Each structure stands twice: as C-alpha cells, then as structure tokens.
Amino acid sequence: MMNRDYRDMVAGGLLMALGAGAALYASASYNLGTITRMGAGMMPTALGWILAAFGAAIMIGAYFRPGPRPEVRVVTPIFILGGVAAFALVIKPFGLLPAVVACVVVSSMAERAFKPVRWILLSSALCVLAYLIFSVSLRLPIPVVAWPF
Amino acid sequence: MDMFANLALGLETALSPTNLLYCFVGVTLGTIIGVIPGIGTLAAISMLFPITFHLDPIAAIIMLAGIWYGTTYGGSTAAILLNIPGAPANAVTALDGYPMARQGRGGLALLMTTVASFIGGSFGIIILTLFSPVIAGYALQVSSAEYFALMLLGLVAASTISDSSALKGLAMVVLGLLLSTVGMDAQSGAARFTFGNLALLDGLSIVALAMGIFGVAEIIASVRKINVGDIDRKTISWSAMLPSRDDVRRSWMPLVRGSSVGSFFGALPGTGPSVAAFMAYALEKRSAKEPERFGNGAIEGIMAPESANNAADQTAFIPTLSLGIPGSATMALMLGALMIHGINPGPNLIIEQPALFWGLIMSFWIGNVLLVIMNLPLIGLWVRLLTVPYHLMYPSILMFICIGAYSVRYNAFDVFVVLGFGLLGYLMRVFALPAAPLLLGFVLGPLLEQHFRRAMVLARGDFTAMLERPVTATVLSLTGLLLVWSVWSGWRKYRARVRAQQAIEA
Amino acid sequence: MKTFAFAALALGMLAGVAHGQENFPNRPVTLVIPYGPGGSTDLLGRQLAAELQKIWGQPVVVENRTGAGSMIGTAYLAQSQPDGYTLLFNTAAHVTAPAIYTDLPFDPETDITPVAMLSYSPFLMVAGSGVKSERLEDLLVEAEDRPMFVATAGLGSSSHFAAELFVGQSGLDMDIVHYSGGGEALTDLMGGHSDLYISSTASSMAAVAGQQVKPIGILGIGRYDSLPETQSTAEVGIETPDIRIWQGIFGPGGMPRELVEKINADITKVLENEEFLGMLSANYTMAATATLDEFQAMVAEEMDFWRKLAKEREITKD
C-alpha cells in the first residue's frame, strides 16, 4: 500500500492529457459547426473535454486516499507485442506459415526460457492447424507461403 | 390453420437431406469460428460466399445462417475459459464467465450458456415466426431521433457494467466513443485522427480493438502466472457441470429478460448481437438485488447476455427477410446469396417463396437443436483446454488473434492496431481501468453521432422538434431519470461509506 | 558474373512484359471492390470474379477496401503494378467522388486506366411513404409547398451527385441527407423520415417491386422500359443531360494497351454468357455495349461534368 493512490493519479493524469490533446487537436483541425448543425470536429472536441474532466476527477479523488502498488510487467509485453508485430511484418511478403512461425517463436520468448525444440514442435503443429482451418476449410485468400523477390 | 400448413411446409423443406446437411455444415463451421478468438462471421461468410453461386438458394442461406448463429453459440467458450471473447458479442460474457471458470465452475458456465443460447435462440425464432411483418412495420417507424435516444439510454444504462468505480467506467465509455470517431466522417468527409494514414480512413477495426484490449492484454497479464496445477481436476468432471437448484432459480428471470432485450435490439437494423448482449447485462445488473455479485462469477451475468445475443441473431432476420434491409454487413451477404439467384427479399418474400421463408425458419430450430447436441459433449473437451499448459496455449491464441484481425480486410495495418490496443489494454489493467465500457462506447459511438446529426438535419436544426416525437421524448426522459438516480445512489453509497469510516475512527 | 545475372534478370523481366499479354494471367488476380461486403456492387463484383476465374483458369480473389466513397480502394489500385493482376470494380462513384475528395494521393485521370464497362442502369428517383404524389409533375408542385429531404447513399456517391443535380436543375428548396449506403437511405424512405432517393435501378427496384417505395421519376432524358409510366425529368421541363449510372473495371495507370484490350475482350466474353446476363437483368441492370475507347472517353467526360457541378453547387467535404 502507498499513502496516496499514485496508480489512479497517474491514470487520471494520462486520461486528462489524452482527452485534452484530442480536444485541442480536433478543434484546431476540424470544423466545429453548431450544436444543431454539428461539424466533424464537434463530437471529438466535446468527448475530449469530457474525458479530460473525468481524468481530472479520477486524479483528484486519488490524491486523498491510499492506494495499492500496481505490478507492472515490462519484458513480457515486449515479447507478446513483438509476436504480434512479427506476424504483421511477415504476413504480407512471406505468407501465412512464416508469419505463424514468427509470431509463435517471438511470443514464446515471453516465457524467458530457451526451448528451441518446443518452439519447433509448437510452430509446426500450429502451421498444420492454421493451414487446415484457414486455407483448406475457410479458403481465406492468404498465400500459404510467398516469396517477394 | 394456415400457420400449421406453413410450418409443415417449412419442416418438410428443412428436413430434406440436402438442406439438413448444409444446416449441419453451417452450424459446425459456426461453432469452430466462434470458439476461435479473432476470426469472425463476416470473414468466414464472405469467403464461403462464392460456393453459394452453385447451390440451391435455400440450401445456401440455410448454411450461411447456420454459420451466423452457430458462431454466437461457440463464442462464449473462449470468453469463459480464457477471458478472451470469441467475438465482440461475447465480450460481456467474460465478465462473469471467466471468474466462474477460475472458481472451478467453468463446465457449469459452458453448460448454462448453451442452455441460455438455446432458450434465447428459440425465443427469437418464435418472435420471428409470429410477429415478423408487424415488427418490421414498427422498425420502420424508428427514425434517427429515436435511435439516438435509445443509444443514449443504452450508454447511460451500461456505463457502469464493470466492477470498478463508476467514474472510471464512464471515462472508458468516453474513450471508446472518442476512438470510434477515428476515420472518415460520413456526414462531412473530413478525415478525423487519421494523420494522413489511408488505412485509418475506414476507422479502427472492431475485431482488432476487441482482440487487443481483451485478448492480447489478457495474455500479457497471464503469461507465467497461470499454472495448470491450480485447476482442480475434479471440477472438470461431468458431475461438477450440473447446476444446483440455486443456479437454476437464479437463471430464470435473466433468461426471460435477456431474450426479450435481445429480440428487441436484433430486430432494429444497425444494432445487433453485441449491443443486445451489453444491454441485457446492464439491465440484469441494474435490476439485481445484490449488484456486487456481478463480476465475481454471478450466473445471471452469463445467462442474460448469452440469451440476448442468440435471440438477437434470430430476430436480425426480421428486417432482412421481411423488408429486404440487412442490419449488418454479414446480413447483407446473406441477402446477397438470395439476390444472385433472382430472389428479392421484401414484404412479398413470404408469399412468393413460402418454402424458402418457412424452410429457413424451421432450419433455425433444427440448427439450434443440432448446436445443443453438438455442444454438450464438446463442453467436456473444452474444459480440458484448461489443462493444456499455458506456455503452449498462449502462442496459439495469439496466432489466431493475428490471423483473425488480418482476415477482416487483409491489411497488415489491422494487426498493428491489435498491437496498439494490446498495449492500451495492458496499461488499462495496470491502472485498473475496465475494458468492457470502452468496447461499448466504441460500438455505440458511430450510431450515436450519425443518428444525432441526421436527426438534426431532418429536424432542420430544431432540437425541440426532436422532443415533440413521443417515443424520443419518453426515452430521453427515462435516460435523464436514470442519470439522476445513478448519481443519487452513488452519493448515498459514498455517504454510507464515509459514515462507516467515521464510526470506525470514533 | 553479378552483372551478367542482373542483365539476365532484366532481360527476363522485359520478356515478361512483352509476352505478358498472351499468357495473362499466370497467377491469381486480385479484384478490388471499394465497398463493404454485401452491397449491390459487391455482389455483382463477386459474380464477375467467378466468371473471370472460369475464363482465365486462375483464381480471381475479391478484396474489399472500403472508405471515402470508393476512393480508398481506388488509391490502393493507383499504387499497384500496372500488370493486370490488380483490378478494381467500381460504379459511377469513380467519376463523382473525385469532385469532392480533392486531396487524393493520386490523379484520377492519369493514375487510373479505365479497362471495360460492364453494365449500366438509369438513375431512378423513388419516393417514400411521406410523399403523396404519384407522378413527377405532381411532385414538383408538392415540393413547392413542403420542403423535402433527398437521401443519398453517402457523401460523394453517385446518388449524392444525382440529388445535387436534381435539386439544382429543378430549383426546389430541398435538404440533402447522407446515409451510409443505399439500404439505410431506403429504410428511412419507407418509414417516411426522408422523401426522395435517386440511385440506380439495381439498388431500388427491389423495394419498388415490394411496393415499399414509389418510382416517381427518371433522372435523364428517356423513360425506363420496366417502368413505362414513370416520367423523366427532361419531360417535365427540367433540363437534364442524358446520364446513366454504370459499373466498370479499372486498372492502374500506365497499363500496356494490349493488356487493357485483352481484359476488355474477356469482359465482353463474360457479357456473352446467358447465365450472367440473366443475373444482370434479374437485378435490373443492363449489359454494357460501349467499346474501350467509348468507355474511356465517357469516364473522362463525366468526371469533368461532375467536377463542374461540384464547383457550381459548392459541394465540398468538411
């Protein structure tokens, strides 16, 4: 426990910044119009300020109460999100199966253990599964393997 | 008398060996697509669409419809067992379904959602059979002003569905609304928050958003935390699946309310099973004697949304078949399967194509029965998924999520959107910000804005003209009352807590 | 050695270009549809893809790239290789949308090659349940007393421009309301929330057949065979050009002429298929007869026409 709820203070602060940023950007870039003839900017601007107000309320409320110490993971998100990124980068040039292998291997590293045999077995099994489900039965127009060069 | 003749004709059509086979193929595919997180009905149906060129139109639509409602049956499985919704319509089911699974009641939850799906689906079919033309007529009377009022009511009612502070819930609804404005504004053509990126002009993909904030965030939080040994083997046995008398007693009313809410939102073009599930859950929590049980494995919290989304799946056919107006892109494709065979859905469909109309409705019953028969034995298999080590499980889920997001429009950018929302979802978990209200805001946002703006154009900019419409005025005042009541009850709770605190300190 | 390999590669590529047309296609072809799945254009495009697949013996894969009144899909096409393996199926929105989306990342005239016209239909004006008139001449009187709403299928769509043309030429006081797609527009017409909608017969004839909306006029000069009673705008004294709504195939700019001719000839083959023609007429659409040159000239001319109208009536986005 901490004597102030720093978790919610940061959360509120971030929401406030996000809301205000969106509102300022929208009101500067898009036509606001009037309430009865709303332009493209009205809704995002209004929502941005409302979000900022909620963020401020969350932050102020948190200042006056003790709060828990949150657990933040740093390495795990890098590998999991890395797996998603690997898939996104590989799918277009190289096709489905290489993307599956890239995604599985990168995300498996979040286990923080070097298990090449397990990776090979898992990615081969998933390649077969993905091929059967998406290429054979659903006929998605994704090339199974491609070569861009 | 007429009705019986029609039903007999329908049954005869639906029970022909070919149609029965395509119904079976449809619901089987639907279940698979539903269970797998990421891949959605729209992608599946648009890929299978060319096959229907060569099929008899009745068989074609029976199969596509089977995929459509079968997906909703299967979608709750991953939501309950893995806290990852199979489709956006099942996102609320995870709120109470996943806690149930953690408490060793996963089998029970799966069994009960199958029951809820069946009852909701049956309810929807009855409405569809008896009141199709009447409801279609009423649906036409609903103008943008009423849509706006209804969406606003839904938003206010459902903004506190998550088990955390109301303020945080509201903030997340607003964030969801804000995210829904990304893309080209349909009224003015302005590109909002796209920063010159063409892929963003069409908006953020809901599949990518849901898979990111629910799926990827869940995986990040769970890796190296979930241990297979934690699950008591006994809890995945058949006997642990049977509901207690208390469970059954608690389930009745949510089923009735959920099916009704679902049938209503399903029949409105534009809203669908996702909105229906959110509304049913919100109504349940609002009307519960102990709302604090929600979010901690309350059985009402899975029965209501699962009956609602299945009822909505069936009543979505009301505007599609009797007006020729598809409520969603998936429905439009199903209509297309008829239109390429020269069949134009509309008020004359029932008269001109009785075999098709009644055959399709009868196939819904058969499909729903098939789904129950298929799902019951599968429950035993699905709960065993929990015994698969998580280090094998999560890369597989991640793969399905990526393929699913990619398959919506074959754009690698959507997979990066999953990444972005995965990060956002994880940060939201760290800061204890609820994800379900964000999804709700995102789903309702475009409806709310477009209908309000269109209503204002149709009222020539006169806001009071909108209030002169009786339904709009009623719904808007109801929204106002609900808002006042929420603030008041929140204030009362706060006062009670302060007083209790003072009593302890004194 | 390396130089030699490069030269061989370059020669090979040249050869590929030179002989490309004879064995086109030798790998899957992508047909981009700039609208969401399920709409009338999407359905027609998917069937066209199936027919071309039969002729070419190669998969023809449909990709939906939606947004900005079809301009997202067109921008994607403009960026593709002009080898015929990426084609686009679009409607007359191809000539109307550029008049509004003036900040496109491509030039709609030089970065896109019109390849073949597939089909066309008249612009049909339908009236909703709130409109009392049965004939166009009565409507003009009714609209004098009660300002009406004209629904469109979206900003920059051909129905939007048709609405602007009608309102401008008739001189009536009408408000234009944008919907997302023809389905939504027709729904509000049936409910009497808006009054008129001008679009292809393909998108509104089903609702006319179901007596959910009334056919009230043809925007253009002649009448429409299936609705012999319905007057055209030219007949009632509204000055209108001879216009139609159409569907066609496009490729990226800079496609070799022979390749364009080859694909154009294959589309003509599709239009000789009885089954496909039957499907077209079931959907109230007529098969095109325009030659490649006529189509290309028409696209350029219409693009110019709508652009002028946009300037005249001050139609802009934002």
Side-chain angles (χ1 to χ4, degrees):
Chain A
M1 288 294 267
M2 299 178 289
N3 54 359
R4 288 198 208 295
D5 194 344
Y6 289 108
R7 181 192 71 181
D8 279 11
M9 280 173 68
V10 175
L14 287 177
L15 289 176
M16 207 168 81
L18 188 69
L24 289 175
Y25 181 82
S27 59
S29 320
Y30 317 119
N31 175 20
L32 283 181
T34 61
I35 293 284
T36 50
R37 287 268 173 177
M38 283 165 55
M42 179 66 86
M43 183 92 166
T45 308
L47 289 171
W49 288 126
I50 296 172
L51 183 62
F54 280 133
I58 292 170
M59 195 163 80
I60 293 165
Y63 184 82
F64 295 105
R65 62 167 184 257
R69 189 180 291 276
E71 186 216 332
V72 185
R73 297 182 138 192
V74 179
V75 180
T76 313
I78 291 177
F79 285 113
I80 300 294
L81 298 176
V84 178
F87 183 93
L89 292 172
V90 172
I91 184 84
K92 204 88 213 185
F94 297 99
L96 181 63
L97 300 189
V100 168
V101 174
C103 173
V104 170
V105 171
V106 175
S107 65
S108 290
M109 289 179 195
E111 278 294 310
R112 298 198 192 173
F114 186 71
K115 300 258 170 69
V117 179
R118 184 199 280 169
W119 296 348
I120 293 169
L121 289 178
L122 183 62
S123 30
S124 334
L126 287 176
C127 278
V128 173
L129 196 64
Y131 175 73
L132 289 179
I133 295 179
F134 298 105
S135 299
V136 177
S137 70
L138 288 175
R139 307 176 184 201
L140 296 191
I142 308 176
V144 178
V145 180
W147 186 247
F149 308 110
Chain B
M1 185 57 220
D2 232 20
M3 183 59 90
F4 283 108
N6 286 332
L7 294 182
L9 170 70
L11 211 54
E12 193 190 315
T13 315
L15 282 175
S16 82
T18 336
N19 292 341
L20 206 55
L21 174 72
Y22 280 106
C23 183
F24 177 75
V25 171
V27 295
T28 311
L29 271 174
T31 306
I32 297 170
I33 292 160
V35 170
I36 299 172
I39 185 91
T41 350
L42 183 61
I45 289 187
S46 45
M47 279 317 114
L48 294 172
F49 189 72
I51 299 177
T52 65
F53 296 169
H54 315 292
L55 284 181
D56 169 57
I58 301 183
I61 192 155
I62 283 178
M63 178 180 81
L64 296 183
I67 298 176
W68 160 254
Y69 55 80
T71 312
T72 317
Y73 264 80
S76 54
T77 308
I80 290 168
L81 298 177
L82 304 166
N83 203 16
I84 295 169
N90 307 100
V92 262
T93 310
L95 294 180
D96 279 283
Y98 185 64
M100 283 181 82
R102 290 282 103 196
Q103 293 155 9
R105 296 198 292 157
L108 168 72
L110 290 180
L111 177 78
M112 292 306 274
T113 50
T114 305
V115 172
S117 298
F118 182 72
I119 293 180
S122 307
F123 192 89
I125 299 171
I126 293 173
I127 303 271
L128 176 65
T129 315
L130 297 179
F131 307 113
S132 231
V134 187
I135 292 178
Y138 278 117
L140 281 183
Q141 300 308 310
V142 181
S143 79
S144 287
E146 280 89 23
Y147 264 107
F148 164 70
L150 271 173
M151 296 305 119
L152 198 65
L153 173 67
L155 209 58
V156 172
S159 55
T160 53
I161 50 175
S162 279
D163 188 41
S164 70
S165 91
L167 203 55
K168 285 184 167 180
L170 283 168
M172 286 303 106
V173 170
V174 177
L175 184 59
L177 289 170
L178 195 58
L179 288 169
S180 78
T181 64
V182 172
M184 198 192 80
D185 171 33
Q187 297 290 323
S188 72
R192 297 192 292 200
F193 302 114
T194 59
F195 309 104
N197 186 335
L198 272 186
L200 272 177
L201 265 186
D202 204 26
L204 296 162
S205 142
I206 182 171
V207 174
L209 179 133
M211 290 308 131
I213 57 171
F214 289 98
V216 176
E218 171 68 26
I219 291 175
I220 293 176
S222 307
V223 171
R224 286 180 287 118
K225 283 258 177 68
I226 291 188
N227 201 330
V228 173
D230 296 350
I231 302 250
D232 185 353
R233 294 257 163 186
K234 257 184 278 169
T235 61
I236 57 171
S237 69
W238 273 103
S239 57
M241 258 179 234
L242 295 177
S244 68
R245 191 169 293 210
D246 184 52
D247 290 329
V248 175
R249 187 180 57 79
R250 285 180 185 282
S251 299
W252 273 118
M253 282 320 283
L255 278 177
V256 173
R257 283 187 289 253
S259 306
S260 318
V261 169
S263 301
F264 177 76
F265 281 103
L268 280 183
T271 60
S274 305
V275 175
F278 270 111
M279 295 309 160
Y281 188 89
L283 177 68
E284 223 37 66
K285 195 175 175 185
R286 288 272 168 187
S287 56
K289 288 203 187 69
E290 311 148 282
E292 56 282 355
R293 286 178 52 248
F294 280 76
N296 299 313
I299 195 156
E300 297 93 320
I302 57 169
M303 300 309 273
E306 281 303 311
S307 54
N309 57 26
N310 283 279
D313 269 355
Q314 304 296 351
T315 55
F317 281 95
I318 293 177
T320 309
L321 293 177
S322 51
L323 295 174
I325 297 163
S328 64
T330 319
M331 273 291 158
L333 269 177
M334 278 192 245
L335 265 189
L338 294 180
M339 280 158 62
I340 56 162
H341 289 282
I343 300 170
N344 279 313
N348 302 338
L349 182 79
I350 306 183
I351 304 153
E352 285 168 8
Q353 301 276 349
L356 184 140
F357 184 83
W358 297 106
L360 182 61
I361 288 185
M362 283 295 126
S363 87
F364 292 163
W365 284 109
I366 295 166
N368 271 277
V369 172
L370 282 177
L371 280 164
V372 171
I373 297 172
M374 196 157 57
N375 271 282
L376 288 182
L378 279 177
I379 293 174
L381 184 74
W382 296 139
V383 285
R384 273 190 182 74
L385 275 182
L386 293 178
T387 62
V388 174
Y390 203 68
H391 63 250
L392 298 179
M393 197 65 169
Y394 82 82
S396 326
I397 302 169
L398 208 60
M399 171 196 86
F400 282 122
I401 289 176
C402 290
I403 300 177
Y406 184 70
S407 70
V408 177
R409 42 192 181 194
Y410 305 102
N411 196 335
F413 180 79
D414 283 344
V415 186
F416 283 111
V417 174
V418 171
L419 191 161
F421 279 111
L423 183 63
L424 177 71
Y426 180 65
L427 289 176
M428 282 164 59
R429 272 171 177 252
V430 168
F431 291 123
L433 295 165
L438 189 150
L439 183 65
L440 177 78
F442 187 79
V443 173
L444 289 184
L447 291 170
L448 200 70
E449 183 184 7
Q450 295 313 320
H451 283 295
F452 180 72
R453 288 169 67 181
R454 196 177 300 144
M456 285 328 272
V457 174
L458 288 173
R460 296 207 162 76
D462 181 7
F463 191 77
T464 49
M466 236 170 93
L467 296 177
E468 276 161 22
R469 305 181 66 94
V471 179
T472 311
T474 315
V475 177
L476 281 180
S477 7
L478 218 67
T479 313
L481 282 177
L482 189 63
L483 204 60
V484 172
W485 182 70
S486 306
V487 172
W488 182 68
S489 68
W491 170 246
R492 234 176 36 160
K493 251 185 238 158
Y494 173 77
R495 286 292 301 268
R497 217 174 42 218
V498 170
R499 230 171 273 150
Q501 195 105 29
Q502 282 166 344
I504 293 166
E505 280 164 12
Chain C
M1 193 61 207
K2 227 179 196 170
T3 350
F4 178 72
F6 259 111
L9 200 69
L11 270 175
M13 279 164 79
L14 270 178
V17 174
H19 298 285
Q21 284 77 262
E22 281 118 74
N23 47 23
F24 171 89
N26 54 23
R27 58 186 170 88
V29 177
T30 303
L31 183 65
V32 179
I33 295 181
Y35 305 95
S40 56
T41 315
D42 176 66
L43 295 175
L44 191 54
R46 280 170 193 273
Q47 289 169 90
L48 175 67
E51 294 297 325
L52 287 175
Q53 187 161 326
K54 271 189 233 159
I55 294 178
W56 288 341
Q58 285 287 344
V60 178
V61 182
V62 167
E63 261 187 53
N64 298 87
R65 291 191 178 257
T66 55
S70 83
M71 288 297 106
I72 298 287
T74 312
Y76 175 75
L77 179 79
Q79 291 164 5
S80 311
Q81 290 299 317
D83 52 9
Y85 288 95
T86 312
L87 298 169
L88 173 91
F89 182 61
N90 201 357
T91 65
H94 182 80
V95 291
T96 55
I100 281 200
Y101 298 97
T102 44
D103 49 356
L104 294 169
F106 64 94
D107 181 336
E109 266 145 322
T110 57
D111 293 346
I112 301 290
T113 311
V115 172
M117 182 165 158
L118 185 76
S119 51
Y120 67 92
S121 64
F123 272 106
L124 174 66
M125 187 198 305
V126 291
S129 56
V131 175
K132 290 187 204 77
S133 316
E134 301 286 335
R135 294 167 64 79
L136 189 55
E137 47 194 16
D138 303 332
L139 178 89
L140 299 180
V141 179
E142 189 183 343
E144 291 278 341
D145 301 335
R146 182 177 71 92
M148 293 190 175
F149 293 104
V150 194
T152 83
L155 190 84
S157 66
S158 44
S159 62
H160 176 200
F161 275 82
E164 294 278 2
L165 181 69
F166 175 70
V167 174
Q169 298 297 89
S170 66
L172 290 163
D173 173 27
M174 292 190 174
D175 283 299
I176 286 173
V177 195
H178 297 304
Y179 290 83
S180 318
E184 270 193 19
L186 283 168
T187 313
D188 255 20
L189 233 61
M190 293 176 200
H193 309 300
S194 63
D195 303 297
L196 301 170
Y197 173 56
I198 312 171
S199 184
S200 67
T201 42
S203 85
S204 40
M205 272 305 278
V208 169
Q211 294 181 337
Q212 294 158 291
V213 295
K214 289 182 280 196
I216 203 143
I218 302 291
L219 186 71
I221 292 172
R223 293 199 177 190
Y224 171 48
D225 295 344
S226 305
L227 297 167
E229 301 293 308
T230 307
Q231 297 169 312
S232 73
T233 43
E235 276 175 62
V236 297
I238 299 170
E239 195 187 316
T240 336
D242 187 18
I243 46 166
R244 280 173 197 87
I245 201 160
W246 45 263
Q247 289 83 33
I249 311 287
F250 298 87
M255 264 169 85
R257 177 79 189 183
E258 303 89 84
L259 183 60
V260 176
E261 277 168 2
K262 148 106 179 102
I263 299 172
N264 185 289
D266 291 336
I267 303 283
T268 314
K269 258 184 235 160
V270 172
L271 289 174
E272 282 158 10
N273 177 342
E274 285 299 324
E275 205 185 322
F276 190 80
L277 289 177
M279 189 279 308
L280 275 185
S281 66
N283 284 300
Y284 306 98
T285 308
M286 285 158 273
T289 48
T291 63
L292 178 57
D293 290 327
E294 283 166 352
F295 179 51
Q296 294 190 334
M298 184 189 85
V299 168
E301 195 181 306
E302 290 197 359
M303 210 174 269
D304 209 41
F305 173 77
W306 296 117
R307 203 172 266 153
K308 273 190 200 126
L309 182 81
K311 197 172 266 174
E312 231 169 75
R313 301 215 12 103
E314 293 171 0
I315 314 168
T316 51
K317 65 187 183 89
D318 299 320

